[in-house]
Amino acid sequence: MCHNDCAETWTLADGSMLKLRPIAATDFAKEQAFVRGLSSQSSYLRFHGTIKDLSKKDLEKFTNPDSRNAVALIVLHSGETSKEEIGVARYVIDPDGGNCEFAIVVADAWQKRGIGTRLMNALIRHLQASGVNHISGTVLKRNSGMRRFVNHLGFTETNIPDDPPLLLVTKNLTNQQPKASTG
């Protein structure tokens, strides 16, 4: 569903070179290291609970998404010894094919540098090409950073009556252009 057409190279304002590409089954260790490296707060905001280690089952699911209805994109930074995963965004398309649910997280040291916006825009471009009409996700009401982020990208917020600490954020993807990066 998303092969080399999703690969991109980015240069940040500070000169850092980053690579965006679909996640692969061989990224098992990178994904585990990425999750282990998240602060307790970032882990809680992403997973709605603190997770330090992904189970083998979750790692297999995260690194080998079902290509018929899911995509996961990772951002890699070439460090001194290896390529380090610094961000990941994924979506799973609902059975009706018209909506999908997304999740996104950027490593703490790399936040507020425009990576999340670029990553989300890559997901949105891919979704628009695949014919999905809406993207949605759940965000903790107290996650003001994520709420500002999705608001900037044109998402709307809706309360979830059955789960008061959460908001449903949704964006219509028909006839929309991705937003420019602000960082």
Side-chain angles (χ1 to χ4, degrees):
M1 194 171 184
C2 178
H3 302 287
N4 291 333
D5 58 329
C6 290
E8 299 176 13
T9 301
W10 303 333
T11 304
L12 299 184
D14 67 1
S16 296
M17 297 292 293
L18 305 179
K19 174 83 173 180
L20 170 83
R21 67 166 171 78
I23 202 163
T26 56
D27 292 322
F28 206 86
K30 280 182 180 65
E31 181 76 358
Q32 184 71 280
F34 174 72
V35 170
R36 284 180 180 152
L38 293 174
S39 68
S40 294
Q41 179 176 351
S42 289
S43 178
Y44 181 79
L45 294 175
R46 161 56 182 96
F47 296 107
H48 303 174
T50 303
I51 294 176
K52 273 298 176 192
D53 281 300
L54 293 172
S55 67
K56 184 175 182 195
K57 181 180 175 184
D58 282 343
L59 275 168
E60 287 171 358
K61 180 176 79 172
F62 285 176
T63 58
N64 194 17
D66 179 349
S67 63
R68 291 169 305 204
N69 66 358
V71 165
L73 301 175
I74 60 173
V75 179
L76 300 168
H77 174 255
S78 293
E80 292 180 22
T81 57
S82 67
K83 291 186 188 276
E84 168 193 18
E85 181 179 336
I86 62 165
V88 61
R90 61 186 74 245
Y91 68 77
V92 177
I93 299 172
D94 292 348
D96 69 7
N99 185 56
C100 74
E101 183 174 350
F102 79 91
I104 185 170
V105 65
V106 174
D108 293 76
W110 292 90
Q111 292 177 7
K112 299 186 184 347
R113 296 170 78 179
I115 296 166
T117 300
R118 290 178 184 209
L119 195 48
M120 184 63 90
N121 283 338
L123 276 187
I124 289 171
R125 283 191 306 274
H126 190 268
L127 283 164
Q128 287 172 321
S130 70
V132 173
N133 297 322
H134 295 89
I135 182 172
S136 63
T138 55
V139 176
L140 289 166
K141 283 184 180 176
R142 66 185 202 134
N143 188 347
S144 58
M146 185 64 163
R147 290 177 70 183
R148 280 191 304 275
F149 171 72
V150 295
N151 182 290
H152 167 75
L153 292 172
F155 284 73
T156 58
E157 295 180 345
T158 308
N159 286 312
I160 303 173
D162 295 344
D163 206 343
L166 295 176
L167 290 167
L168 178 68
V169 295
T170 306
K171 179 177 175 74
N172 182 336
L173 299 178
T174 56
N175 301 321
Q176 301 253 333
Q177 293 299 314
K179 292 275 187 174
S181 174
T182 58

